[in-house]
Amino acid sequence: MKKVEAIIKPFKLDEVKESLSSIGAQGLTVTEVKGFGRQKGHTELYRGAEYVVDFLPKVKLEIIVSDESVAKVVETIEKAARTGRIGDGKIFVLPVEEVVRIRTGERGSEAL
Amino acid sequence: MKKVEAIIKPFKLDEVKESLSSIGAQGLTVTEVKGFGRQKGHTELYRGAEYVVDFLPKVKLEIIVSDESVAKVVETIEKAARTGRIGDGKIFVLPVEEVVRIRTGERGSEAL
Amino acid sequence: MKKVEAIIKPFKLDEVKESLSSIGAQGLTVTEVKGFGRQKGHTELYRGAEYVVDFLPKVKLEIIVSDESVAKVVETIEKAARTGRIGDGKIFVLPVEEVVRIRTGERGSEAL
Amino acid sequence: MERRARRKRGPASAGLALIATTLLAGLSTSAFAAEEVAKIDTGDTAWMLVSTALVLLMTAPGLALFYGGLVRSQNVLGVIMQSFTCMAVLTLQWILFGYSLAFGESHGGWIGGLDFLGLAGVGQDPNPAYAATIPHLVFMAYQGMFAIITPALITGAFAERMTFKAFLVFTLLWSTFIYDPMAHWVWGVGGWMRELGALDFAGGTVVHISSGISALAAAMLIGKRLGHGHEQMPPHNLPFTVVGAALLWFGWFGFNAGSALAANGLAANAFVTTHVAAAAATCGWMAIEWLQRGKPTVLGAASGAVAGLVAITPGAGFVTPLAAVAIGVLGGIICYYGIRLKESFGVDDALDVVGVHCVGGIWGAIATGIFASKAVNSAGADGLLHGGPGLLLTQVAAVLATLVYCFAGAWLLLKVTDALVGLRAEEEEEYAGLDLSQHSERAYVLGSVAD
Amino acid sequence: MERRARRKRGPASAGLALIATTLLAGLSTSAFAAEEVAKIDTGDTAWMLVSTALVLLMTAPGLALFYGGLVRSQNVLGVIMQSFTCMAVLTLQWILFGYSLAFGESHGGWIGGLDFLGLAGVGQDPNPAYAATIPHLVFMAYQGMFAIITPALITGAFAERMTFKAFLVFTLLWSTFIYDPMAHWVWGVGGWMRELGALDFAGGTVVHISSGISALAAAMLIGKRLGHGHEQMPPHNLPFTVVGAALLWFGWFGFNAGSALAANGLAANAFVTTHVAAAAATCGWMAIEWLQRGKPTVLGAASGAVAGLVAITPGAGFVTPLAAVAIGVLGGIICYYGIRLKESFGVDDALDVVGVHCVGGIWGAIATGIFASKAVNSAGADGLLHGGPGLLLTQVAAVLATLVYCFAGAWLLLKVTDALVGLRAEEEEEYAGLDLSQHSERAYVLGSVAD
Amino acid sequence: MERRARRKRGPASAGLALIATTLLAGLSTSAFAAEEVAKIDTGDTAWMLVSTALVLLMTAPGLALFYGGLVRSQNVLGVIMQSFTCMAVLTLQWILFGYSLAFGESHGGWIGGLDFLGLAGVGQDPNPAYAATIPHLVFMAYQGMFAIITPALITGAFAERMTFKAFLVFTLLWSTFIYDPMAHWVWGVGGWMRELGALDFAGGTVVHISSGISALAAAMLIGKRLGHGHEQMPPHNLPFTVVGAALLWFGWFGFNAGSALAANGLAANAFVTTHVAAAAATCGWMAIEWLQRGKPTVLGAASGAVAGLVAITPGAGFVTPLAAVAIGVLGGIICYYGIRLKESFGVDDALDVVGVHCVGGIWGAIATGIFASKAVNSAGADGLLHGGPGLLLTQVAAVLATLVYCFAGAWLLLKVTDALVGLRAEEEEEYAGLDLSQHSERAYVLGSVAD
Ligand SMILES: Nc1ncnc2c1ncn2[C@@H]1O[C@H](COP(=O)(O)OP(=O)(O)O)[C@@H](O)[C@H]1O
Ligand SMILES: Nc1ncnc2c1ncn2[C@@H]1O[C@H](COP(=O)(O)OP(=O)(O)O)[C@@H](O)[C@H]1O
Ligand SMILES: Nc1ncnc2c1ncn2[C@@H]1O[C@H](COP(=O)(O)OP(=O)(O)O)[C@@H](O)[C@H]1O
C-alpha cells in the first residue's frame, strides 16, 4: 500500500474530492497547512509597518491506496487540482507497511 | 523505526494518550484534521440554504516508535480508540529511516 | 527522494525557514500541531478548577528533498531550531517513492 | 411623518414637553407666542442625544458585526470597513451639504435649498419647523445618523466582490442623488410625499425600501460571486451576527422611539411597538423555519428580529402594540419567503438585503396603511382597519414611487461608478479575499504560524 | 420595593420630578390633585426609556456573550440562541398576559388579575400606582425586560445538553408560574411580600434567587454533561465572556438605577452603589483567588463583577456607597466559595448559576437587612446596623419563601417538561454539540477547509 | 473648564436647565437665591447618568476590545484584564480618596483636601460648585469614569510584557500621584491651570496628554518586546479592534457631550463636534495612507477615528462643527505621522499610545487655542482665528507643564514599581504569553484538541 500526499490550493479541495470519489476512493484525510514555495506571498500593512508574508494557505490531502491504484489516484488529483498557475502544489507517494481499521480490527487493503 | 499514524475521533484523544503513556510512549504529535470516509457528515442550514458537509473533525496522531514496539503501539491505539461505530478511524504504519533529537543531536532510537 | 519531517518550537519557524532558504531549499509545508513529550505543559485555572495541559503548540515542517540533500537539510534544521532546552523537537526522515508537480506534471526530483 | 405631525399640532400641543408652560397657561393671562415656546427641554434633549448615539451604534458595531459575521473570513474586514467608512465619509457629506439638500427650504417639494450649507444657521437653538424642544444641532445629528446607515445597508448585496474604491464612489453618489432627495420628499417641510399624506414614522421608505431596492440593482449589475452555486459560503462567525442583530435591536429604540423627537407618550408607544414587532417576527421566522426545515436556526432568529424591526419602522408611532404583534409575525414570515426570491431571479444578493429590507419595508408601509390609528397618534391617520382605505392607497403610491426612483437611480449611478472606476475586484483579488486585496490586512491571526 | 416607596410617599413627594409644580405650589392658591400631577416628566421618561433598553442589552448581547464564551465551541450558538429566544418569546408572553399576572389588580396578594390582558388600559399616560411621571407603556416595557433576563439566567445551569424544545417549554412554564407570581408578590400593589415589608430594590429575590435556585433544580434533574469529570471543558472564548461581563455591568445601571423609576437622587444613589459593588466584588474575587491559587484570573475578575452586581441588586437604593463596598467585597468572596458548593453536591451546574445568582442573591437580601438606611431612602427601612433587627428577619423570611417556592415549582415544571418533550439531547447530539444538533449551524468557519 | 464656565455664568444663566425658573422670574416678584435654584433637573440628570455609563463602556468593552484585538492571541486576556482591573481598583481608589484629592477644597491650587474622603458630603443633592442641576453623586461618578480610562490608556504602551503585579502597583501610584493632581489643576475649583485660563473641555491634558506621555516613559523603561524588530507581530483580531473603536466613538459622546454636565445646547455642540472630528480624522488617516501606501486599511480607519476623538476632546465645547472638520482631518494626518516617531526613538510603544494620545492630545490643545470661539461658548475664550493670540500661549503653557510633570512623575513611579515588584515578565513567561503566565488561562479553545 502507498500513501499519496497532495498539497493543493484550498479552493480546489471540493473538485479534487469529487474526482476521487468518482474513481471509487472511499476515504481521505485533509489538513490545513501553510506552504512556502515558488508562488510568492503578499504584503500586509499594519499602521504603516509592512509585513511580508511568504506562507500561503494550502490544503494537504492524505489518502492511503493499494499499490495498483496509486497511478490512477495520482493522475486524478493531478488533473483536478491543476489550474496551470504557479502554486498548484505537489503530490508525494510514500510506502505504507500496514493499515488497520480501528472499528473492526481489519488489516491490510481490507482496512481501506 | 516506524511511524504510526492514527486518525481517531477527537473525544478519544485523551484516552488514547493515557493508554500510550501507560505502555511507556514518551512522545507523540497531534494534528487536527478533517476526515472523509464511510461515516456520513451532516447538513447545515443557513437562511434556508442546505449545505451538505462530508468532512468530519478528526484527530491525527503521529508517533515514531522502534520496530519492536510497533505492534504494541498499534494494538494500544486500536483498543483505546474503538467505539465500534463507523468513523472510528484508521492506523497506518510507515517506514522511517532516521530520527534526530534536535536538542542533543542524538540519532536513531536514542532520539525517541 | 526523502521526506524530512521536523517538529520544532513555533517561534523558531522563521529562523529555520531562513536557514533552509539560504541552502537553496525552494519549498516546504508547515502545519500547526500539538506535541506531547518530555517538556511539561502548564496548568490552567477556570473558576478554581485546575486543568493540566500536556499538549504544547509546535510546528511541523515537511520538506521533500533529493537523497543527496538529506544530510544537509537535517543538519540545517537541527542547527537553526536548537535552543538547547527541552522540547526543541525531532527530525524524522522517511522514504518517498514519487513526486509530482501538479502544475506541470513533472515527476521525480525535477518536480521539487 | 412624525416631523409633520409635530408641526401640524402646532405650538400648543408641543406642550407635553413643557409642563411648566401648560401649568402656567392657566395662571397667567398673557399668551405665549410660538417663539417663546421654542425653548429647549432637557428631557427631550437627553433622549434625543441618546437616540442619536444609538442610531450610530447601529451602523458600527451593529451592522458591521451583523454583516461581518455572515461573510467568509477572508472578507470580514472588507465588509466592516464599508460600514465604518460610511460613518466617516457620509458625516462630512451631511454637514457640508447633505443636510441642506434634505432639510433646507424646499424647492417645489423636490429638494432642499442650500440654506444649511456647511451647517449655516444650524445652532444650539431649536428649529421649531422640525423639533421645537431640542437644539437644531441635535436634530441635524440625529438625521445624519440615518443618512449613514442607509447606504451601509446596501453593502450587504455586493459583499465579497466590490472594490473599495467603487463602494466609495457609489456611496457618495447614492447619498447625494438618492438619499438626500428621498429624505426631503418624505420628511422635509414641503416634501411631496409628506404633502401627499403618506405615513412613514421612522424611515420605511427612506431607509429600507430605498436601500433594499438599490441593493437589487447592485446585485444584478455586479454579478454573482466566484464559485456561487458551486462552493459553499457559510457565515464565518455567527456569534458576531447574533451580537450584531442584538445591537441593531437595541439601537433601533433610538431609531424608532427617537423619531418622536421627544421623550413623551408617543416615544413610549414607538418603543413598545418596536420591541414587540422584533420579538414577534423572531417567533414568526423561527416557527416557519421549524415547520419547513425541521429546526429553528440561530441565523433565522436573528434575521427574523431584523425583519420585524424593518417592518415596524414606518408604523411604530401610528399603530398599537397589539397591531405590532401582527405586523411582526407576518413580517418574519414574509421575509422568510422574501429571501427566497433571489433564487428565482438568479441574483446573488449576498446578505439578503432585498429579501429583508426591501420586502420587509414594503410590508411595513402597507401594514401602516392597514393598522394606523389616530387613537395612537392624533397627527397620523386611520388605516384600513380603522375605516380609512385612503391611507392604504397613499402608502402604496409612496412605495411604488420609491421603488421606481431608487431602482432606476441606483442603476444609473452604478453604471456611472463602473465607468469611472470599475465595480468589481479582479478574480485573483476575489479569491484572496477583500481583506488582503483591498486593505492588505488579515482579520484573524490565531495560530502560531506567522502566515 | 421602590415602587411601594413611591406610592407611600404620595403625590407631594413625587415632586422632585416636577419642579414646576413645587414652585407653583407656593404661588397659586389652588391645590393640585393627584391626577393633575400625574403628568409625564420628560427627564424621567428619557431615563426610563434608556434603562429599559439597557436591561434588554443585558440579555443580548450581554448574557449571550458571557455564557456563550464559557461553553465549548460546539455549543456557543445553542447557548446564545436560548438568550435570544427569551427576548422573542417572553416579550409576547409579557404583553399578552404576563404583565397582567404580575401587575394587574391583586387577587389576595397572590397574583395579578386579567385587567391588563393584551395591554388593555396600558397606554401613553402614566399609571400613578406604579410610576407617576412616565407613560404606563414605559413602566410595562421596563418590567418586561426583567421578565426576559430572569429565565435566561437559568440556561447556564443546563447548558450544553438540553434540547431547544425542552428549553422553550420549560421557559414558558417557568415565566408564567414562577416569575409572574413572584413579581406580583414583591412588586405588585398588594403583593404579600411587599406588604410584609421586605426590601428588594431591583430584584434580588424576584430575579436572582428565583433563577438561581431554579437552576439548581434544573442541573440536578438533567444530570451531568457527557464526559464531565473526565474531559476538560475549558471556556472556548474568554474575550467574549469578559465583553459580556462588561456589558452586564453597563446594562445593570439601567437595571438598578432605573428601578428608581425617575432620574433623581435615588437613581444616582443606586447608580453609584451598583458601580461600587461591582468594582469591590471584582477586587474581592481577584484577591481571594490570588491568595488561594497564586494568580488572579480574568474569568475570576469577570465573575466577581457579576457577583457584586447580583449582591447589590436588592439594596442598591437603600444603602450608602460605602456599604456597597462591604457588600461587594464580601459578595465576591462569598460567591468564590459559592461556586465550589456544586463539587460537594455533585451537581453539574455548568456555568455556575447557583453559585453566583442564588448565593449572591441571598447575600444581597441579607446585606440589605444589615446595611439599609432611611437616610438613603426615607421610603425604605433601617437595617441591623442602623438599629433595626426586624428588617433582617423579614429579609430572611422573604429569602426562604422564595427558595422553597421556586425550587419546588421549578422541579415540578421540569418534570412536566420532561414528560412532554424530554429534557435532554441524545448522546450523539451532545457529542456533536447543540449548534449542529439543535440548529444545524456551526458558529465559526475560520479555515479554508469547507468542513 | 466647562465646570468653571458654568460656575462663572452664575445662577441666572444656569437657567436653561430650569425652564420653570426662567418663566416664573417674569411673574413673581421674589428673587430666587442660588441655593433655591440648586434643584435637580431630571433631563440633565438623565443625560449625565447615561454619559457616566457611556464613559465606563469606553474602558470595557471599548478599549479592552480595541487593545485586545491589536495584540497577539497569547496576550489578549492579559490586555483585557488590565482594562477591566482599572474599572475595579480605581473605582475604590476614587471613592475612598481619589475624588477628594481631585475635587476637594483646593490647597493652593495644587491638590484637593480630604473633605470628600470616603464620599463624605457627596450625596443626592447637587454640589453647585461643579454642577448645579444634577446630584453630586452623579458628578462624582462621572468624573470617576475618567479616572478609570486614563490609566487604562497607558497599558497599550507596555502591552505583552509587563507583569500583572507591576501593572497594578504602577496604576495605583499613577492615579494617585499623577491623575488626581492633574484633574485638580485643570478642573478643580481653584486649580492652577484653570485659574491660568487654559481651556480643556473634556480632558485633552488631563486624560490624553498625561496618559500619552506617561506611556512614553513606560515603553522606554520596560524595553522592547522579545523578538521586536525580527518577528512579525500582527494584530490577532482586527474585527475586535474595529468594534472597540466604534464603541469608543459611541462612548465618547458621553465623554465629550457629557462634559457640558447638562442636556443643553452646549452638549449638542460638543456632541456634533465630536462626531464630526471622528469622521474627519478617519477620512484624513485613510487618505494619507492611501496616498502613501497605496491602500486604505481598516486599522488605519479605526486609528483615525480614535485620533480625531482625542484631538477634539479639549475643544469640543468651544469650537464650531466646521472647525471640528479641520481639527479632525489634521488630527488624523498628524497622528498618522505621530505613530512613526517611535521608529526614530527606537521605542517599542506596542499599541501606539504616544502617537495617538500624546500627539493627538497636544494637537487638540493647540487647536483649541486656534479655533475656540466665544460665539460657541460664552464661558470660553476666543482663539487665534477669532483674534485672541493669548489663549494659544496659555494652551501651550498648559501642554508643556503637563508633559513635564507627567513624564517625570511616571518615570519616577515606574522606577519605584520596578524596585518593588519588577516591571517585566520573565523571558519564558513572555514567550508563553501573558494569558498563561499571568492568569493561567487561554483566550480561545476553538479546536477539538484539548490543548
Ligand atoms: N520540497 C517541498 N517539500 C514540501 N512541500 C513543498 C515542496 N515544494 C513545494 N511544496 C509545497 O507545494 C506548494 C506549491 O509549491 P510552489 O513552488 O509554490 O508551486 P509549484 O508547485 O506550482 O511549483 C508550496 O506552497 C508547498 O506547500
Ligand atoms: N484511504 C484512506 N486514506 C486516508 N484516510 C482515510 C482513508 N480511509 C479513511 N480515512 C480516515 O479515517 C476516517 C474514518 O474512516 P470511515 O470510513 O469514516 O470509518 P471507518 O474507519 O470506521 O470505516 C475518515 O474520516 C478519514 O479521516
Ligand atoms: N516518539 C515521538 N513521535 C512523534 N513525535 C514525537 C515523539 N517524541 C517527541 N515528539 C514530538 O517532539 C516534541 C518535543 O519532544 P520532547 O520530548 O518534549 O523534547 P525533546 O525532543 O527536547 O526531548 C514533542 O512535543 C512531540 O511533538
Side-chain angles (χ1 to χ4, degrees), chain A residues 7 34-39 58 85-90 92, chain C residues 27-29 62-64 101 103 112:
Chain A
I7 317 284
K34 302 286 166 185
F36 170 73
R38 281 165 190 80
Q39 185 188 0
K58 300 278 172 190
R85 273 181 296 211
I86 209 161
D88 274 355
K90 309 270 196 253
F92 312 126
Chain C
L28 56 84
T29 300
E62 292 173 277
I63 170 165
I64 312 291
R101 185 196 305 278
R103 167 165 50 98
L112 290 182

XYZ file of all heavy atoms in Angstrom, chain A residues 7 34-39 58 85-90 92, chain C residues 27-29 62-64 101 103 112, ligand 1:
221
model
N -0.414 18.397 -1.812
C -0.577 19.763 -1.310
C -1.259 20.528 -2.427
O -0.700 20.627 -3.519
C 0.800 20.420 -1.042
C 1.773 19.465 -0.358
C 0.652 21.742 -0.311
C 1.522 19.249 1.080
N 0.310 25.472 5.668
C 0.827 26.682 5.033
C 1.973 26.258 4.142
O 2.831 25.466 4.550
C 1.377 27.648 6.083
C 0.356 28.065 7.117
C -0.631 29.025 6.536
C -1.829 29.169 7.460
N -2.864 30.023 6.852
N 1.981 26.784 2.943
C 3.033 26.375 2.023
C 3.987 27.514 1.706
O 3.604 28.681 1.663
N 5.211 27.123 1.499
C 6.239 28.082 1.096
C 6.862 27.499 -0.162
O 7.253 26.335 -0.190
C 7.269 28.216 2.212
C 8.488 28.989 1.850
C 8.445 30.368 1.698
C 9.694 28.331 1.641
C 9.582 31.086 1.357
C 10.842 29.044 1.299
C 10.776 30.421 1.153
N 6.905 28.272 -1.228
C 7.432 27.716 -2.472
C 7.706 28.824 -3.467
O 8.025 29.953 -3.090
N 7.556 28.492 -4.727
C 7.832 29.482 -5.763
C 6.758 30.576 -5.807
O 7.052 31.722 -6.155
C 7.896 28.783 -7.118
C 9.219 28.086 -7.351
C 9.162 27.104 -8.506
N 10.373 26.287 -8.542
C 10.568 25.229 -7.759
N 9.646 24.873 -6.884
N 11.702 24.537 -7.846
N 5.544 30.168 -5.525
C 4.456 31.158 -5.548
C 4.741 32.217 -4.486
O 5.041 31.896 -3.337
C 3.139 30.446 -5.211
C 1.927 31.351 -5.334
C 0.655 30.667 -4.802
O 0.692 29.529 -4.340
N -0.458 31.379 -4.862
N -2.644 26.416 2.149
C -2.795 25.262 1.262
C -3.550 24.189 2.010
O -3.729 24.279 3.231
C -1.407 24.691 0.881
C -0.488 25.662 0.157
C -0.778 25.744 -1.313
C 0.028 26.882 -1.952
N -0.408 27.156 -3.327
N -1.401 27.508 -12.901
C -0.685 28.667 -12.366
C 0.233 28.249 -11.235
O -0.014 27.256 -10.539
C -1.673 29.724 -11.880
C -2.069 30.641 -13.047
C -3.005 31.707 -12.609
N -4.252 31.073 -12.168
C -5.445 31.649 -12.284
N -5.543 32.859 -12.797
N -6.541 31.037 -11.871
N 1.260 29.003 -11.068
C 2.239 28.676 -10.049
C 1.562 28.507 -8.684
O 0.611 29.205 -8.366
C 3.342 29.770 -10.025
C 4.653 29.170 -9.552
C 2.934 30.941 -9.158
C 5.841 30.021 -9.919
N 2.065 27.518 -7.921
C 1.485 27.286 -6.605
C 0.431 26.192 -6.588
O -0.215 25.980 -5.563
N 0.271 25.498 -7.697
C -0.738 24.429 -7.740
C -0.434 23.312 -6.766
O -1.344 22.610 -6.322
C -0.815 23.837 -9.145
C -1.763 24.624 -10.030
O -2.416 25.554 -9.520
O -1.844 24.312 -11.229
N 0.850 23.143 -6.445
C 1.189 22.170 -5.414
C 1.850 20.908 -5.921
O 2.250 20.813 -7.095
N 1.977 19.957 -5.019
C 2.768 18.755 -5.275
C 2.010 17.524 -4.832
O 1.136 17.583 -3.967
C 4.050 18.783 -4.421
C 4.875 20.040 -4.510
C 5.895 19.944 -5.623
C 6.949 21.022 -5.463
N 6.838 22.103 -6.428
N 3.088 13.638 -3.409
C 4.171 12.751 -2.990
C 3.607 11.358 -2.761
O 2.493 11.221 -2.263
C 4.790 13.218 -1.658
C 5.115 14.680 -1.627
C 4.619 15.493 -0.613
C 5.924 15.255 -2.600
C 4.919 16.839 -0.570
C 6.223 16.613 -2.561
C 5.718 17.417 -1.540
N 11.054 24.858 -1.322
C 9.663 24.660 -0.937
C 9.573 23.899 0.364
O 10.465 23.109 0.701
N 8.557 24.159 1.106
C 8.282 23.369 2.297
C 6.849 23.633 2.723
O 6.212 24.597 2.277
C 9.279 23.666 3.426
C 9.439 25.105 3.915
C 8.383 25.450 4.948
C 10.820 25.250 4.538
N 6.376 22.747 3.562
C 4.991 22.829 4.001
C 4.960 22.778 5.521
O 5.694 21.991 6.123
C 4.183 21.669 3.380
O 4.258 21.786 1.958
C 2.732 21.718 3.819
N 7.439 19.972 6.735
C 7.656 18.833 5.845
C 8.380 19.345 4.625
O 7.969 20.326 4.019
C 6.315 18.224 5.435
C 5.600 17.552 6.588
C 4.196 17.108 6.223
O 3.292 17.961 6.284
O 3.999 15.943 5.885
N 9.455 18.654 4.284
C 10.196 19.084 3.113
C 10.720 17.862 2.379
O 11.340 16.987 2.966
C 11.314 20.091 3.519
C 12.263 20.385 2.388
C 12.074 19.642 4.739
C 13.114 21.614 2.636
N 10.395 17.813 1.124
C 10.827 16.684 0.293
C 12.146 17.080 -0.363
O 12.247 18.170 -0.942
C 9.811 16.390 -0.825
C 8.393 16.326 -0.266
C 10.196 15.108 -1.557
C 8.100 15.152 0.604
N 4.832 17.455 -9.715
C 4.434 18.860 -9.628
C 3.116 18.992 -10.386
O 3.056 18.722 -11.590
C 5.498 19.755 -10.249
C 5.186 21.246 -10.067
C 5.996 22.154 -10.983
N 7.417 21.951 -10.856
C 8.191 22.473 -9.909
N 7.673 23.239 -8.995
N 9.481 22.207 -9.877
N 1.260 21.486 -11.344
C 1.150 22.492 -12.408
C 1.650 21.981 -13.751
O 1.038 22.211 -14.793
C 1.940 23.741 -11.998
C 2.181 24.743 -13.082
C 2.642 26.061 -12.494
N 3.752 25.911 -11.556
C 5.031 26.107 -11.856
N 5.377 26.448 -13.077
N 5.970 25.979 -10.935
N 10.598 18.956 -7.608
C 10.809 19.594 -6.295
C 10.904 21.108 -6.410
O 11.500 21.626 -7.338
C 12.075 19.045 -5.646
C 11.946 17.596 -5.186
C 13.231 17.141 -4.520
C 10.786 17.455 -4.204
N 10.153 20.423 -1.489
C 8.948 20.585 -0.949
N 8.634 19.903 0.154
C 7.422 20.011 0.703
N 6.462 20.808 0.207
C 6.717 21.518 -0.906
C 7.954 21.452 -1.516
N 7.920 22.265 -2.603
C 6.692 22.818 -2.628
N 5.980 22.386 -1.615
C 4.577 22.718 -1.331
O 3.931 22.914 -2.564
C 3.351 24.220 -2.625
C 3.409 24.774 -4.024
O 4.743 24.930 -4.432
P 5.223 26.144 -5.366
O 6.681 26.015 -5.517
O 4.705 27.426 -4.820
O 4.460 25.946 -6.739
P 4.543 24.849 -7.852
O 4.340 23.514 -7.181
O 3.427 25.221 -8.783
O 5.877 24.977 -8.482
C 4.133 25.017 -1.626
O 3.341 26.073 -1.133
C 4.449 23.994 -0.562
O 3.381 23.818 0.317
